[in-house]
């Protein structure tokens, strides 16, 4: 490029990449702010065109136009840059990006409020809502969603109320960003650096090799363990060094509680109150009432009924499970042994070995990541006829990331799929699915296909071994892949209704449905081959997996119920919340807690789902969706787990339809009836008739 030739911001020109994928190789840090500010300007311009249209407001010139112009259309500049920036803030962030996010947060929130509180735009939406032509079900859903979004965002408030709402949302957005940044910093700051090989006693070779590699990457001798799940979980499960287990456990479970800049206690307290104030400003008694109006559960009574039904059904078994583990610990250590939280995984593993002669390390050699990936892709092929082809010409944001073209059963292009498997310094913990481009149909009739990504923190390869996964990690892969199928199979007109744009207590159904395959013999035999010998996983090992599938299942259920109770306790507050977070937490989830609670630990300050994510007043959704996924999979068990006709019905009735209709309507169309809890109880070995 000559000195006089001006560089063009890649967000502002055609990408010129395969399938118009993000040109990560061209993007520089300074491009983000420029694109955000220009995107806001263009967005304002488009909204001005809609509200300035002299014609009578109609569905097409107002509702459909607003859906395509305001951050829901891939070629919209603000949507382009926002999508990339937000994805990388979770998957590949830097201090520069975090500082820019802090700077942009109030600007973007103000812009969003300027649109949703624009009285002239709302007048047009309201007119269409009251005077519209006959609409298709999808059009009616979009209209209802648009109108309700304005109302729920303060369009009917007076000017004083609108200004107060602006202040509340701007502060909440800043605090959720700070919450996430604090948690990432705390998580990445801790390491356990060991130099004495005796301190590694009990740890499997995979954990030792990974810790040695982490140490080398940091220029250290010995072994380094972190709070990332692939490092933390094996340490708590296998290490015989009780004091080191305690250190690791306390480090993880006291994150963001310390007297430093990363303390999230004040932030959580304020977020609970901000959300209560926002809900009450809009006419609701509490934030949960505001959220549940657009959930399958409908109201707090139905949420508590689900949680209490699960408590009644699972708690007796969970108590027995914990007592069995405590008995195993006493058997090994003596009658006066006091089981602590950092002991639970260690002795649970010992009990699992005694009962089933099975543990995660025995399965790792058969779960080589490349083969697991082939198996998961093959499952999509057997169910829906999809094929995946890696394309190295598609740009990626990190060398770890792989990009695939996805083709439908007729050979047509369906989607782009990105896979980002391993932990690293700038990456949040956990696993999630996201979109760089959502499916929608343009006014010209083009079906714009989605670009979806799954981001996980799976076991890394070492210098001597490929990435070998645990069964739990295989389940995580299947879970996130289920979300991605929901996105890739989308086939709706409007982007804001496609893919995973559904009610939050339905969004987990397609993902949790896929987890069912992890313990199915027919599926395991398609990919589970020993990474060295190539021998298939032995039948008797598969039998042990199947027999052990419900090991500690009731305890795990109660753990999720406890999280749901905690979430609801915060967001059913009707008065200013002033209680001590750590004390309140322990009281709120006490009905589901059957192990000792430690005074210094706190989940709330690292509970991203309900503080910085979309699950505030909605964490029960995982259990709600689990009822659905068990019920749905029971149909496959009846007709065959790979049955194409059943899979096609699931695709046609649910996966391709996104949020175009009420999710129960979609589900009943697939199932023929409403779900019951019975399939879940049977799957978990709980007698539905005698909980």
């Amino acid at each position: 490029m000559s000195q006089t030739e001006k560089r063009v911001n890649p967000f502002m020109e055609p990408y010129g990449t395969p399938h118009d994928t993000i040109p990560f190789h061209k993007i520089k840090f300074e491009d983000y702010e420029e694109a955000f500010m220009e995107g806001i300007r263009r967005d304002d311009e488009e909204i001005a065109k809609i509200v300035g249209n002299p014609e009578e407001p109609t569905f097409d010139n107002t509702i459909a136009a607003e859906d395509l112009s305001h951050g829901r259309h891939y070629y919209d500049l603000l949507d382009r840059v926002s999508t990339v920036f937000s994805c990388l803030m979770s998957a590949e962030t830097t201090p520069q990006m975090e500082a820019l996010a802090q700077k942009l947060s109030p600007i973007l929130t103000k812009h969003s409020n300027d649109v949703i509180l624009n009285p002239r735009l709302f007048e047009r939406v309201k007119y269409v809502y009251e005077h519209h032509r006959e609409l298709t079900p999808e059009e009616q859903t979009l209209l209802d969603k648009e109108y309700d979004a304005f109302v729920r965002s303060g369009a009917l408030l007076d000017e004083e109320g609108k200004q107060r709402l602006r202040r509340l949302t701007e502060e909440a957005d800043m605090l959720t960003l700070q919450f996430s940044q604090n948690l990432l910093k705390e998580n990445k700051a801790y390491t356990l650096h060991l130099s004495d090989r005796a301190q590694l006693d009990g740890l499997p070779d995979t954990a030792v090799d990974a810790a040695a590699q982490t140490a080398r990457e940091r220029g250290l001798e010995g072994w380094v363990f972190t709070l990332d799940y692939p490092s933390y979980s094996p340490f708590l499960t296998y290490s015989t060094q009780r004091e080191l287990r305690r250190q690791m456990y306390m480090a993880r479970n006291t994150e963001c509680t310390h007297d430093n800049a990363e303390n999230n206690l004040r932030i959580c307290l304020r977020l609970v109150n901000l959300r209560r104030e926002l809900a009450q400003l809009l006419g609701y008694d509490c934030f949960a009432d505001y959220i549940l109006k657009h959930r399958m559960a409908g109201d707090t009574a139905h949420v508590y009924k689900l949680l209490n039904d699960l408590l009644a059904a699972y708690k007796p078994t969970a108590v027995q499970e914990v007592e069995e583990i405590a008995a195993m610990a006493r058997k090994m250590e003596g009658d006066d042994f006091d089981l602590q939280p950092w002991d639970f995984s260690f002795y649970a593993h010992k009990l699992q070995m005694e009962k089933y002669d099975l543990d995660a390390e025995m399965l790792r050699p058969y779960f080589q990541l490349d083969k697991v990936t082939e198996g998961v892709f093959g499952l999509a092929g057997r169910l829906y006829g999809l094929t995946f082809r890696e394309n190295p010409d598609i740009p990626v944001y990190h060398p770890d990331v792989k990009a695939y073209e996805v083709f439908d059963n007729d050979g047509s292009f369906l989607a782009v799929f990105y896979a980002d498997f391993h932990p690293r310094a700038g990456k949040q913990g956990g696993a999630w699915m996201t979109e760089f481009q959502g499916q929608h149909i343009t006014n010209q009739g083009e079906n714009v296909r989605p670009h979806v990504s799954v981001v996980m923190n799976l076991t890394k390869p070492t210098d001597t071994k490929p990435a070998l996964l645990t069964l739990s990690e295989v389940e995580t892969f299947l879970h996130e892949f289920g979300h991605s199928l929901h996105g890739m199979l989308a086939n709706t007109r409007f982007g804001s209704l496609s893919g995973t744009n559904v009610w939050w207590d339905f969004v987990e159904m397609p993902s949790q449905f896929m987890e069912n395959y992890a313990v199915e013999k027919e599926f395991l035999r398609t990919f589970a081959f020993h990474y060295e010998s190539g021998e298939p996983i032995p039948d008797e090992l598969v039998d042990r997996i199947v027999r052990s599938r419900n090991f500690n299942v009731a305890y795990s259920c109660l753990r999720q119920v406890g999280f749901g109770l905690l979430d609801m306790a915060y967001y059913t507050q009707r008065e200013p919340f002033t209680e001590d977070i750590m004390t309140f937490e322990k009281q709120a989830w006490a009905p589901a807690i059957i192990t000792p609670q430690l005074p210094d630990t706190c989940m709330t300050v690292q509970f991203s789902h309900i503080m910085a994510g979309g699950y505030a007043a909605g964490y029960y959704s995982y259990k709600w969706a689990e009822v659905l996924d068990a019920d749905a999979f029971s149909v496959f068990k009846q007709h065959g787990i790979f049955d194409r006709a059943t899979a096609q019905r699931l695709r046609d009735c649910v996966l391709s339809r996104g949020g175009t209709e009420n999710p129960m309507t979609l589900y009943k169309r697939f199932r023929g009836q409403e779900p019951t809890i019975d399939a879940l109880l049977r799957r978990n070995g709980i007698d539905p008739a005698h909980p």
Side-chain angles (χ1 to χ4, degrees):
M1 181 176 7
S2 68
Q3 292 183 340
T4 58
E5 186 179 350
K6 188 176 186 295
R7 176 179 176 274
V8 178
N9 187 317
F11 288 113
M12 300 186 194
E13 62 179 354
Y15 285 162
T17 52
H19 308 294
D20 216 24
T21 45
I22 308 293
F24 293 106
H25 59 300
K26 294 182 181 178
I27 298 170
K28 296 184 178 180
F29 172 73
E30 56 268 24
D31 294 329
Y32 289 113
E33 185 170 3
E34 180 185 30
F36 268 114
M37 301 313 295
E38 174 62 13
I40 290 173
R41 189 196 67 77
R42 293 185 190 180
D43 211 29
D44 289 339
E45 201 172 69
E46 289 296 319
I47 295 298
K49 287 180 183 177
I50 295 172
V51 300
N53 188 338
E55 297 178 4
E56 178 185 15
T58 66
F59 178 86
D60 298 293
N61 70 22
T62 300
I63 305 301
E66 209 267 329
D67 191 76
L68 287 176
S69 67
H70 180 50
R72 301 179 185 123
H73 177 41
Y74 177 58
Y75 298 103
D76 172 81
L77 177 58
L78 185 57
D79 189 44
R80 288 178 118 185
V81 64
S82 297
T83 299
V84 175
F85 189 78
S86 63
C87 289
L88 296 191
M89 276 293 293
S90 297
E92 186 63 12
T93 192
T94 65
Q96 274 184 310
M97 292 182 72
E98 290 178 356
L100 180 59
Q102 293 273 6
K103 178 181 178 181
L104 290 173
S105 178
I107 297 171
L108 292 168
T109 305
K110 178 182 181 301
H111 171 65
S112 178
N113 283 333
D114 286 346
V115 174
I116 207 73
L117 297 176
N118 184 319
R120 294 177 63 199
L121 182 58
F122 177 62
E123 284 173 13
R124 291 185 67 92
V125 172
K126 185 171 183 288
Y127 182 87
V128 177
Y129 185 73
E130 296 171 346
H131 311 85
H132 58 77
R133 60 171 169 80
E134 186 175 348
L135 302 174
T136 67
E138 182 174 349
E139 289 173 333
Q140 186 65 57
T141 298
L142 180 65
L143 175 57
D144 293 343
K145 181 177 181 178
E146 287 289 324
Y147 177 77
D148 207 47
F150 277 88
V151 173
R152 286 167 63 82
S153 298
L156 297 179
L157 296 175
D158 60 21
E159 191 55 36
E160 182 182 351
K162 289 178 180 178
Q163 291 305 314
R164 185 177 167 212
L165 182 139
R166 284 177 180 271
R167 292 192 295 271
L168 292 173
T169 54
E170 288 175 10
E171 185 180 357
D173 286 349
M174 282 294 293
L175 289 178
T176 56
L177 176 62
Q178 189 179 346
F179 178 100
S180 296
Q181 292 180 350
N182 287 349
L183 182 57
L184 179 64
K185 289 174 185 174
E186 282 273 282
N187 183 272
K188 301 302 180 183
Y190 178 84
T191 58
L192 178 66
H193 181 206
L194 304 179
S195 55
D196 183 353
R197 182 169 285 276
Q199 294 175 305
L200 306 175
D201 184 53
L203 293 173
D205 291 342
T206 53
V208 173
D209 292 346
Q213 180 158 316
T214 302
R216 287 193 297 272
E217 290 170 354
R218 301 182 183 211
L220 299 171
E221 298 292 326
W223 303 268
V224 169
F225 296 88
T226 72
L227 299 182
D228 291 328
Y229 183 82
S231 180
Y232 174 84
S233 180
F235 198 93
L236 268 288
T237 302
Y238 296 101
S239 174
T240 62
Q241 308 298 293
R242 193 183 190 206
E243 171 56 24
L244 296 181
R245 293 202 310 267
R246 185 195 69 80
Q247 290 179 30
M248 287 282 280
Y249 178 90
M250 293 302 293
R252 181 159 182 150
N253 289 277
T254 60
E255 286 178 332
C256 299
T257 64
H258 308 296
D259 186 16
N260 58 22
E262 284 73 50
N263 187 299
N264 274 343
L265 287 165
R266 179 193 61 81
I267 290 175
C268 293
L269 190 72
R270 184 61 183 145
L271 281 171
V272 170
N273 279 312
L274 283 170
R275 289 166 180 158
R276 174 190 53 78
E277 290 179 48
L278 183 146
Q280 292 175 342
L281 178 62
L282 294 170
Y284 296 88
D285 286 341
C286 63
F287 188 70
D289 287 347
Y290 168 76
I291 289 295
L292 292 171
K293 185 183 177 188
H294 285 278
R295 297 292 188 271
M296 293 179 76
D299 54 42
T300 57
H302 283 96
V303 173
Y304 276 115
K305 182 180 187 309
L306 172 70
L307 297 177
N308 289 329
D309 284 352
L310 292 171
L311 267 177
Y314 285 83
K315 191 167 185 176
T317 304
V319 170
Q320 293 174 13
E321 290 172 348
V322 171
E323 179 49 39
E324 277 193 87
I325 293 167
M328 170 60 74
R330 290 193 297 270
K331 181 172 118 176
M332 294 178 63
E333 310 297 344
D335 290 343
D336 60 348
F337 185 79
D338 184 20
L339 186 76
Q340 293 295 319
W342 48 84
D343 301 318
F344 193 84
S345 294
F346 181 80
Y347 292 103
H349 164 248
K350 298 297 185 185
L351 180 62
Q352 185 180 30
M353 287 294 295
E354 181 178 90
K355 293 180 74 168
Y356 305 106
D357 190 23
L358 182 73
D359 79 350
E361 293 304 310
M362 296 167 65
L363 301 176
R364 276 193 197 271
Y366 299 98
F367 292 154
Q368 182 179 346
L369 177 57
D370 288 347
K371 294 295 184 184
V372 173
T373 303
E374 291 177 12
V376 173
F377 288 171
L379 177 57
R382 294 186 72 168
L383 291 175
Y384 308 111
L386 309 189
T387 55
F388 292 73
R389 185 183 306 153
E390 187 174 359
N391 186 344
D393 294 330
I394 295 176
V396 294
Y397 56 84
H398 189 277
D400 281 354
V401 181
K402 294 183 178 182
Y404 299 84
E405 295 171 302
V406 187
F407 299 93
D408 211 339
N409 52 21
D410 62 357
S412 62
F413 171 72
L414 184 73
V416 172
F417 175 80
Y418 298 88
D420 182 356
F421 289 125
H422 304 301
R424 53 181 175 267
K427 189 176 184 181
Q428 292 279 6
W432 59 94
M433 169 267 184
T434 190
E435 285 184 340
F436 289 111
Q437 173 173 307
Q439 180 272 334
H440 61 278
I441 297 175
T442 68
N443 287 335
Q444 292 71 42
E446 178 193 1
N447 193 327
V448 177
R449 299 310 305 166
H451 301 169
V452 306
S453 175
V454 294
V455 186
M456 295 176 280
N457 283 273
L458 305 178
T459 298
K460 295 169 63 174
T462 67
D463 293 340
T464 59
K465 290 187 178 70
L468 302 175
L469 308 186
T470 64
L471 179 60
S472 175
E473 289 178 314
V474 174
E475 290 173 334
T476 297
F477 192 163
L478 285 165
H479 180 103
E480 300 308 330
F481 189 73
H483 282 309
S484 76
L485 285 173
H486 205 178
M488 290 188 288
L489 296 174
N491 193 30
T492 64
R493 177 181 169 189
F494 301 111
S496 62
L497 300 178
S498 77
T500 57
N501 289 303
V502 300
W503 288 356
W504 280 79
D505 49 6
F506 190 64
V507 75
E508 296 298 336
M509 192 284 276
S511 55
Q512 292 178 180
F513 167 82
M514 292 296 287
E515 290 184 50
N516 286 279
Y517 284 92
V519 294
E520 291 291 332
K521 287 184 181 182
E522 291 177 86
F523 174 58
L524 289 170
R525 287 169 178 157
T526 66
F527 70 91
F529 300 94
H530 196 284
Y531 79 100
E532 288 180 318
S533 69
E535 291 294 316
I537 189 168
D539 285 349
E540 57 89 18
L541 192 52
V542 175
D543 290 338
R544 277 185 272 160
I545 293 172
V546 174
R547 288 201 309 272
S548 69
R549 69 173 301 181
N550 285 330
F551 180 70
N552 278 355
V553 70
Y555 173 81
S556 297
C557 176
L558 252 62
R559 186 171 182 268
Q560 292 294 97
V561 170
F563 291 159
L565 290 172
L566 177 63
D567 175 37
M568 293 301 289
Y570 283 126
Y571 294 118
T572 53
Q573 294 293 316
R574 287 164 167 75
E575 302 296 331
F577 183 68
T578 59
E579 298 190 44
D580 176 76
I581 288 283
M582 296 173 79
T583 302
F584 181 84
E585 172 182 289
K586 290 169 176 57
Q587 295 170 344
W589 64 15
I593 301 298
I594 52 178
T595 55
Q597 297 200 62
L598 302 180
D600 296 333
T601 59
C602 187
M603 175 65 180
T604 301
V605 291
Q606 52 186 288
F607 203 171
S608 296
H609 281 75
I610 70 169
M611 289 296 163
Y615 284 89
Y619 196 82
Y620 76 91
S621 300
Y622 284 99
K623 300 310 293 184
W624 186 277
E626 197 171 351
V627 172
L628 294 170
D629 91 66
D631 188 70
F633 196 69
S634 70
V635 182
F636 282 80
K637 293 289 282 186
Q638 180 181 350
H639 296 285
I641 65 169
F642 300 124
D643 184 63
R644 285 293 291 272
T646 306
Q648 188 65 42
R649 196 165 75 252
L650 182 64
R651 176 178 182 172
D652 292 342
C653 297
V654 176
L655 298 177
S656 68
R657 302 314 306 147
T660 55
E661 295 182 74
N662 184 295
M664 187 57 79
T665 300
L666 297 176
Y667 184 80
K668 286 167 64 178
R669 196 172 291 150
F670 159 73
R671 183 68 170 96
Q673 63 185 44
E674 290 196 6
T676 70
I677 197 173
D678 291 355
L680 174 62
L681 295 176
R682 282 193 295 269
R683 185 175 75 186
N684 291 163
I686 306 292
D687 184 353
H690 301 93

